[in-house]
Amino acid sequence: MKTVCAVGTPANEWIFFSVSVQEMTFHTGTLNQHNCGRRLERLAAFWTFIFIRIVTGLAGEGRSVWKKDPHFSPVSETQMFLYDTFPKEFFWGVGTGAFQVEGSWRKDGKGSSIWDHFIHSEFRDADSTDASSDSYTLLDKDLSALDFLGVTFYQFSISWSRLFPTGVVAAPNEKGLQYYNTLIDSLLNRNIDPVVTLYHWDLPLMLQEKYGGWKNESVIDIFNDYATFCFQTFGDRVKYWITIHNPYLVAWHGYGTGIHAPGERGKITTVYSVGHNLIKAHAKVWHNYKKRFQPYQKGMMSIVLGSHWIEPNKSEDALDISKCQQSMERVLGWFAKPIHGDGDYPEELKNEFSFLPRFTEDEKNYIKGTADFFAFSFGPNNFKPPNTLPKMGQNLSLNLREVLNWIKLEYNSPRILIAENGWFTDSHVKTDDTTAIYMMKNFINKVLQAIKYDNIDVFGYTAWSLLDGFEWQHAYNIRRGLYYVDFKSEKKERIPKSSALYYKQIIRENGFFPRESTPSLQAQFSCDFSWGITESVLKAESVASSPQFCDSSLYLWNVTGDGLLHKVKGVKLKTRPAQCTDFVSIKKQLDLLEKMKVTHYRFALDWSLILPNGDLSVVNRQVLRYYRCVIREALKLNVQSMVTLYYPTHTYLGLPGPLLQAGGWLNQSTAYAFQDYAALCFQELGDLVKLWITINEPNRLSDVYNRSSNDTYRAAHNLLIAHAMAWKIYDEQYRSFQYGKVSLSLHSDWAEPANPYFESHSKAANRFLQFEIGWFADPIFKTGDYPATMREYIGFKNRKGLSYSSLPSFTSEEKQLVKGAADFYALNHFTTRFVIHEPQNGSQYEFDRDIQFLQDITCLSSPSRLAVVPWGVRKVLKWIKKNYGDIDIYITANGIDDQSLDNDELRNYYLGKYVQEVLKAYYIDKVKIKGYYAFKLTEEKSKPRFGFFTSDSKGKPSIKFYNNLINNNGFPADYSACDPPNQENRCSFCLFISQKKPLIFFACCLFSTLMLLLTIIVFHKRKRRKRFKAKSTQCICVSF
């Protein structure tokens, strides 16, 4: 096993340092050549020192990790998941603890340990711990498991009491000695390096009973004797040694909280006394090895130190940062600063606890530097129980990259071995440990980022653990192994879990390779491609906002001091016909649309405003006029409208009151009412509208009609019939002269199996697509009936007694009506869902699907936790083409929420990546995509910020980004295929004139007025001058 330096970039965003100006002052004067040379040497040495500090980090500067850049970008490449490989000689390993997996605690002369005693006195089901994974007798199965993974090292511990039953070095237990010799030799035969831990918490019981365990300094010498024997016996074959595994937990939980053996509670002085002895024991063993064995065995030694990680409530608050620093010093710094630092405890710890044991100056020098590398543990044992951690009012975090940076800066860039890392699952989980995969993916990628971006020298990684075993205070209530073991079985087979398969893949590839994304494409959409913006329901003004030109009356304001307008009787003014620009909100909409530079505008009508009674008995013509004005004025900007007739949400169903009271979509009469409403809209607006959406996302109304699954399916059935009848009305009565197209818009997120190693997850992902999309798309675009998969699965659950759901049946007339009732496929797509198969009981739509969603913590996500997975949109587009043929497709809504008001970089990133994948689907996969509509124009108050404009119409930077996409019609290489050949550049002056007509008209009026005023002034001046001359002449004549 060779050690190598990690390769990374020179830049390091974690380092903060300052240089005193006074230290850089140079004296002027006459200097001889010798002094000048010395000054140059000092200057070179100074800058060399600064360079080294920049590259390696500043010792004791760990707190700078929490000082975040105020201009932090959520889409910074250095913060997102990194697809790259580890250094060529990186070590991949796996670990176990002897007490956790060996079992056979009474077999072949093994002595009792404090944990043997502890579990038989503190745990009810003590007998089940006797065998555990039984690695002592099933060594061959462990070795086969290691072979399968392809690891380069195996980190295991020696059971002290298996070699020396009383703990005192004497004649060793031959059976135990044979076991460890066989294990080490077998590993070396497989080119797997052994990393051996001398003490992993299982102190021989005799030493606890006779000396009081680690409270007594006498155990230090006994431990050194035991270590000496191990070096003599195994050192010729072992090149990496660990003295003690996580001494913080030994002291804190063994002698403080009492949840670990030996189970002592209460005295804080005892806790720090034990920690003091553990440090001295480690140092003594290290010096012993260095002096007597290292010169010819050529091994390396360290101590595994474990810790949590913590984040400040406010990264800009110096007090919160200080509390985080104190928290880390009380856990990791307690042991790391003496060993990896200056040989003494952190100052904060010494100031806080007057009873803390003190090191003499000789002891400080003896302890300082007693580690050849920094062995670090980061797992659930360092976070549980959370109430025992010194959180200091701050927030626990699992950011492994940041704690590695803290170690680098605090302890002068040590070489680091991740000696324990992983997470846990519940005891009932067998091989489907999907959560563990994502935790592993996150942890290992954070290590890769630390190496590549932060120049941290991490040379190995230990996944914990190889096997399911005894998990300390949790006993067998959790599992941490890569291999599942049935503890009650006789053979105790090692069955690889999903995490084992995933770890094997990472080791084989030495990192992460992108499997779904492909290189960026330089191409364009078709020249008639629709670039749009989507808005939800457009609230119509029932009365014009600017009626002054329509009302012939004259008014006086505040005549009596009441602040009201009073009509002047008998006075009539000239008026003009009503105009669309009388509606102030339309002016605002047009201004926003002009800034977006789109070709299409999608908005929704308000059914309840147009037909307040739900039927044609009362038609609000003023509201219809308002919507017609919106469409007509948009056309003047060369913006065509895609109009949605019905836009329900889970908070606002959008039905007229009488229809809602009659049962809404549970009542079939609502479908007929919708048909009449649609016909009215086609009649009044159809001459201006070429693209219609009948209903937006009917497949999401399950959130409203969720009293039972049968309610959900009945409402959906009526929605389908309503859409089909509206489509038929248009097809038969209006299409021939309006030439429009009609469809409905379906929420169409992609579904990916959360665990690619389990077929059940793949089936669950397909089931989600059928229940979510096929539910409405199959009847319209395929068969005229619901998906067979959907019917079969519900029937299967019915037969099992797990559900009483029932899908409605289509009559032959309804099938004929529904099938083909769309002119294009319209989809709203926002994210990709990671799906788990999760059996559920009950008659609910959500339960019928038997799925759960998993949040991939390694994905970039929005404030509302929408995962940014660009390749998902390409997959769903291909899926639609595969299932429903080569049909026209419009992406009618695609966007993400971004909290930033002045720099919405996340939205820019999302738009660029998703449109790029849409282009690939169009250009490479030949999907007939006709248009892309970004979501959405304006954001709503107190809701996720999806808008390009704020609720008060303030524009965001993403507008310009989307403008560029539209202007380029995609991602062209050097020229635009849509530009006519030999086209001359458009006259910039003409363009200015066309865009600024109102301003130019006003300027002309102002100029004319000024010229007229100037003419009058000149005229009067000349007239006055003539009069003055005439008077002067008259006076002269009189005088003569």
Side-chain angles (χ1 to χ4, degrees):
M1 185 164 169
K2 299 177 182 179
T3 57
V4 294
C5 294
V7 178
T9 57
N12 192 320
E13 61 189 287
W14 301 94
I15 294 175
F16 298 82
F17 69 97
S18 61
V19 179
S20 171
V21 176
Q22 295 172 348
E23 292 175 0
M24 298 183 65
T25 303
F26 295 95
H27 300 284
T28 59
T30 305
L31 297 174
N32 58 35
Q33 187 175 2
H34 175 71
N35 289 338
C36 181
R38 292 187 64 183
R39 189 176 73 172
L40 289 173
E41 288 176 4
R42 285 197 298 268
L43 182 61
F46 171 78
W47 286 111
T48 300
F49 170 78
I50 292 297
F51 175 77
I52 292 171
R53 285 302 198 191
I54 291 173
V55 175
T56 63
L58 298 171
E61 290 295 322
R63 67 178 64 241
S64 62
V65 171
W66 293 291
K67 297 176 184 177
K68 303 299 183 186
D69 181 357
H71 304 294
F72 168 77
S73 169
V75 294
S76 168
E77 182 180 328
T78 62
Q79 300 301 317
M80 290 192 289
F81 191 86
L82 175 60
Y83 289 100
D84 206 339
T85 57
F86 284 82
K88 187 176 181 181
E89 299 297 328
F90 193 79
F91 304 143
W92 296 104
V94 68
T96 58
F99 185 79
Q100 295 179 279
V101 299
E102 282 185 4
S104 304
W105 76 286
R106 296 175 178 174
K107 194 170 183 178
D108 292 340
K110 178 187 178 297
S112 295
S113 71
I114 55 174
W115 270 96
D116 290 316
H117 176 75
F118 185 67
I119 62 175
H120 285 84
S121 59
E122 298 290 332
F123 289 69
R124 292 181 180 178
D125 194 15
D127 291 339
S128 67
T129 64
D130 292 352
S132 183
S133 304
D134 208 8
S135 288
Y136 180 72
T137 58
L138 300 174
L139 176 58
D140 288 342
K141 293 183 178 181
D142 289 357
L143 294 170
S144 296
L146 293 168
D147 285 337
F148 176 81
L149 292 173
V151 294
T152 52
F153 73 89
Y154 178 42
Q155 182 179 325
F156 65 92
S157 70
I158 294 174
S159 173
W160 189 346
S161 58
R162 192 176 294 282
L163 283 182
F164 301 103
T166 65
V168 177
V169 174
N173 176 11
E174 289 299 329
K175 290 289 187 179
L177 185 61
Q178 180 183 345
Y179 169 72
Y180 292 115
N181 272 320
T182 303
L183 172 56
I184 293 170
D185 290 340
S186 299
L187 292 173
L188 293 173
N189 289 335
R190 289 168 165 77
N191 293 318
I192 299 173
D193 286 311
V195 177
V196 179
T197 301
L198 295 172
Y199 181 69
H200 197 138
W201 308 353
D202 48 352
L203 185 73
L205 181 60
M206 188 73 71
L207 299 182
Q208 181 68 33
E209 293 176 340
K210 183 175 181 180
Y211 298 100
W214 288 107
K215 293 183 294 184
N216 194 322
E217 287 193 21
S218 301
V219 176
I220 295 173
D221 290 327
I222 299 173
F223 179 61
N224 187 51
D225 292 341
Y226 156 63
T228 300
F229 174 84
C230 292
F231 300 150
Q232 292 171 337
T233 308
F234 311 119
D236 59 327
R237 292 160 291 164
V238 175
K239 303 306 176 187
Y240 283 83
W241 292 96
I242 301 295
T243 54
I244 302 167
H245 187 91
N246 212 336
Y248 171 83
L249 297 180
V250 176
W252 194 258
H253 288 325
Y255 296 86
T257 66
I259 63 174
H260 281 194
E264 297 189 10
R265 294 178 175 87
K267 291 185 179 180
I268 192 69
T269 54
T270 301
V271 171
Y272 285 100
S273 176
V274 167
H276 199 71
N277 290 336
L278 288 166
I279 292 171
K280 292 200 290 187
H282 158 76
K284 185 159 189 171
V285 170
W286 188 87
H287 280 286
N288 178 19
Y289 183 77
K290 279 293 177 182
K291 183 178 180 180
R292 299 176 55 191
F293 301 99
Q294 198 272 341
Y296 65 90
Q297 291 184 354
K298 307 299 183 184
M300 302 180 75
M301 181 176 293
S302 188
I303 178 173
V304 172
L305 302 181
S307 182
H308 62 310
W309 180 243
I310 199 157
E311 297 280 1
N313 292 321
K314 298 179 180 178
S315 59
E316 67 277 6
D317 191 321
L319 181 59
D320 283 354
I321 290 175
S322 292
K323 288 179 178 178
C324 289
Q325 179 72 8
Q326 292 171 28
S327 176
M328 294 302 295
E329 287 179 347
R330 289 190 181 189
V331 179
L332 187 53
W334 177 10
F335 293 90
K337 190 168 181 286
I339 295 168
H340 294 277
D342 60 5
D344 200 3
Y345 295 118
E347 290 300 318
E348 190 277 333
L349 210 59
K350 294 193 291 183
N351 295 335
E352 182 74 18
F353 303 117
S354 58
F355 53 80
L356 193 70
R358 303 294 176 176
F359 292 116
T360 66
E361 288 302 317
D362 288 341
E363 286 176 330
K364 291 178 186 178
N365 292 327
Y366 186 74
I367 292 167
K368 179 173 62 176
T370 55
D372 300 314
F373 54 92
F374 198 115
F376 182 58
S377 165
F378 194 73
N381 289 329
N382 300 303
F383 289 86
K384 298 173 76 173
N387 61 337
T388 65
L389 288 167
K391 291 184 287 186
M392 314 290 287
Q394 307 308 304
N395 307 303
L396 292 175
S397 167
L398 293 176
N399 196 324
L400 178 54
R401 178 182 175 185
E402 291 206 343
V403 71
L404 290 174
N405 272 279
W406 190 86
I407 292 169
K408 171 189 175 179
L409 294 173
E410 197 72 17
Y411 303 113
N412 200 21
S413 296
R415 300 183 64 253
I416 300 173
L417 170 68
I418 308 296
E420 177 188 1
N421 183 235
W423 209 240
F424 67 92
T425 59
D426 292 333
S427 59
H428 69 270
V429 175
K430 295 183 179 180
T431 56
D432 184 2
D433 59 339
T434 305
T435 304
I437 287 180
Y438 286 88
M439 295 299 289
M440 176 184 286
K441 179 183 178 184
N442 179 53
F443 285 138
I444 296 179
N445 201 258
K446 291 295 183 185
V447 174
L448 181 60
Q449 291 173 33
I451 294 171
K452 296 292 185 178
Y453 295 138
D454 308 327
N455 202 31
I456 297 176
D457 188 4
V458 182
F459 67 90
Y461 177 87
T462 311
W464 203 274
S465 85
L466 176 65
L467 311 170
D468 287 336
F470 180 78
E471 292 300 334
W472 312 114
Q473 74 268 27
H474 302 288
Y476 294 100
N477 294 318
I478 65 171
R479 293 176 179 270
R480 291 190 64 190
L482 298 177
Y483 283 81
Y484 170 76
V485 178
D486 182 356
F487 302 117
K488 296 180 180 180
S489 69
E490 183 178 346
K491 294 184 177 180
K492 293 184 174 56
E493 296 293 346
R494 278 68 167 134
I495 305 173
K497 301 180 185 179
S498 303
S499 54
L501 301 174
Y502 185 61
Y503 191 45
K504 176 185 175 70
Q505 175 184 309
I506 292 174
I507 294 171
R508 184 177 65 249
E509 298 176 351
N510 198 35
F512 302 91
F513 285 94
R515 302 190 178 281
E516 305 297 344
S517 59
T518 54
S520 295
L521 178 67
Q522 288 188 314
Q524 290 180 294
F525 293 98
S526 62
C527 297
D528 60 348
F529 192 77
S530 302
W531 290 98
I533 187 71
T534 293
E535 188 62 288
S536 50
V537 176
L538 209 58
K539 291 296 181 183
E541 297 178 60
S542 56
V543 179
S545 315
S546 305
Q548 63 268 33
F549 298 112
C550 306
D551 191 343
S552 61
S553 300
L554 177 67
Y555 296 88
L556 294 176
W557 176 71
N558 204 28
V559 176
T560 60
D562 58 0
L564 300 176
L565 291 171
H566 296 271
K567 185 184 291 188
V568 178
K569 296 180 179 179
V571 179
K572 294 294 181 181
L573 304 174
K574 289 184 178 181
T575 62
R576 62 156 173 75
Q579 296 181 1
C580 289
T581 50
D582 294 338
F583 296 102
V584 173
S585 61
I586 292 182
K587 295 179 184 177
K588 291 181 179 178
Q589 289 286 321
L590 294 175
D591 183 51
L592 303 186
L593 284 176
E594 190 172 19
K595 291 177 180 176
M596 291 302 300
K597 303 186 186 306
V598 293
T599 62
H600 285 71
Y601 176 40
R602 181 191 173 204
F603 68 90
L605 310 179
D606 192 328
W607 183 2
S608 62
L609 280 180
I610 295 173
L611 300 178
N613 292 340
D615 56 28
L616 299 177
S617 61
V618 177
V619 179
N620 192 330
R621 295 288 172 182
Q622 187 69 9
V623 170
L624 277 172
R625 175 176 171 266
Y626 175 89
Y627 287 130
R628 185 172 181 83
C629 279
V630 171
I631 299 166
R632 192 165 63 189
E633 293 301 311
L635 282 171
K636 292 179 181 178
L637 296 176
N638 292 322
V639 177
Q640 297 185 44
S641 295
M642 175 185 279
V643 176
T644 302
L645 297 174
Y646 179 51
Y647 195 103
T649 67
H650 68 279
T651 56
Y652 177 67
L653 198 53
L655 285 171
L659 297 180
L660 195 60
Q661 293 170 8
W665 289 106
L666 295 177
N667 191 330
Q668 194 172 8
S669 63
T670 303
Y672 291 96
F674 181 77
Q675 180 186 31
D676 294 340
Y677 161 63
L680 174 67
C681 294
F682 297 149
Q683 177 184 326
E684 297 294 326
L685 307 174
D687 59 319
L688 302 177
V689 179
K690 302 306 175 189
L691 293 171
W692 292 95
I693 298 294
T694 55
I695 305 168
N696 184 69
E697 297 189 353
N699 52 341
R700 282 300 174 96
L701 275 187
S702 59
D703 295 337
V704 178
Y705 294 100
N706 58 3
R707 187 177 60 183
S708 71
S709 56
N710 290 336
D711 277 0
T712 304
Y713 297 137
R714 173 53 56 188
H717 195 78
N718 289 333
L719 282 160
L720 266 170
I721 298 298
H723 158 76
M725 290 194 298
W727 182 87
K728 185 178 181 182
I729 282 283
Y730 189 86
D731 190 57
E732 293 179 349
Q733 298 183 21
Y734 299 97
R735 189 189 302 278
S736 60
F737 60 92
Q738 290 185 356
Y739 308 109
K741 294 182 178 181
V742 181
S743 187
L744 81 171
S745 189
L746 298 178
H747 193 108
S748 304
D749 285 341
W750 178 246
E752 195 73 13
N755 189 332
Y757 303 104
F758 269 79
E759 187 181 1
S760 62
H761 288 235
S762 298
K763 289 181 177 179
N766 181 63
R767 193 162 61 246
F768 169 81
L769 294 173
Q770 295 296 338
F771 271 75
E772 180 87 351
I773 302 174
W775 183 17
F776 282 80
D778 269 34
I780 295 172
F781 296 101
K782 201 170 186 180
T783 62
D785 198 359
Y786 297 116
T789 301
M790 198 173 176
R791 286 199 183 277
E792 289 168 4
Y793 201 78
I794 292 174
F796 162 77
K797 295 199 72 172
N798 287 341
R799 292 191 296 273
K800 293 284 186 179
L802 304 175
S803 172
Y804 298 99
S805 301
S806 176
L807 276 175
S809 297
F810 289 100
T811 64
S812 58
E813 292 80 9
E814 287 175 336
K815 284 185 178 181
Q816 188 175 357
L817 173 70
V818 170
K819 186 177 180 181
D823 301 313
F824 56 90
Y825 188 106
L827 70 145
N828 299 343
H829 176 90
F830 298 94
T831 189
T832 290
R833 314 296 292 272
F834 294 91
V835 179
I836 295 173
H837 172 68
E838 185 70 31
Q840 299 178 71
N841 299 343
S843 300
Q844 294 283 336
Y845 167 72
E846 289 79 9
F847 297 164
D848 285 344
R849 302 182 300 180
D850 280 349
I851 61 170
Q852 287 289 349
F853 301 116
L854 182 142
Q855 186 80 21
D856 184 351
I857 57 176
T858 67
C859 276
L860 176 66
S861 60
S862 73
S864 65
R865 302 190 72 183
L866 285 178
V868 180
V869 189
W871 46 262
V873 70
R874 182 181 177 187
K875 282 197 169 187
V876 79
L877 289 168
K878 290 168 67 177
W879 186 88
I880 291 167
K881 178 181 178 180
K882 177 183 176 182
N883 282 271
Y884 306 117
D886 198 20
I887 56 175
D888 291 348
I889 296 176
Y890 285 84
I891 299 170
T892 47
N894 180 239
I896 198 167
D897 56 308
D898 189 332
Q899 284 294 100
S900 178
L901 297 177
D902 54 1
N903 190 17
D904 50 346
E905 293 176 282
L906 178 59
R907 182 171 292 107
N908 287 345
Y909 179 86
Y910 182 96
L911 285 171
K913 295 297 183 182
Y914 272 75
V915 172
Q916 174 66 216
E917 294 299 317
V918 172
L919 181 62
K920 291 174 186 176
Y922 169 79
Y923 197 82
I924 299 173
D925 307 324
K926 307 302 179 185
V927 180
K928 292 173 66 176
I929 305 165
K930 295 295 184 179
Y932 173 90
Y933 292 66
F935 183 85
K936 69 190 204 67
L937 186 61
T938 56
E939 64 190 31
E940 301 173 61
K941 291 181 179 179
S942 305
K943 289 188 176 182
R945 298 182 183 275
F946 278 91
F948 284 85
F949 292 89
T950 63
S951 55
D952 55 356
S953 302
K954 180 182 176 183
K956 302 178 185 178
S958 53
I959 296 171
K960 185 176 181 181
F961 184 87
Y962 193 41
N963 290 165
N964 289 334
L965 282 176
I966 296 170
N967 290 337
N968 293 325
N969 199 31
F971 303 88
D974 299 321
Y975 65 93
S976 173
C978 296
D979 291 339
N982 302 322
Q983 182 186 27
E984 296 182 3
N985 291 331
R986 186 174 179 182
C987 170
S988 57
F989 178 73
C990 301
L991 183 64
F992 175 81
I993 293 293
S994 65
Q995 291 178 341
K996 304 296 182 182
K997 285 180 182 178
L999 182 64
I1000 293 171
F1001 176 75
F1002 174 76
C1004 290
C1005 291
L1006 182 63
F1007 179 75
S1008 301
T1009 304
L1010 289 172
M1011 291 301 296
L1012 180 62
L1013 183 62
L1014 186 62
T1015 302
I1016 293 171
I1017 292 171
V1018 170
F1019 174 77
H1020 279 283
K1021 277 190 175 183
R1022 287 181 176 178
K1023 194 172 183 180
R1024 287 178 64 187
R1025 192 176 297 166
K1026 286 181 180 180
R1027 287 178 182 175
F1028 178 76
K1029 286 182 178 180
K1031 285 183 180 180
S1032 299
T1033 304
Q1034 188 176 7
C1035 289
I1036 292 171
C1037 293
V1038 171
S1039 64
F1040 277 115

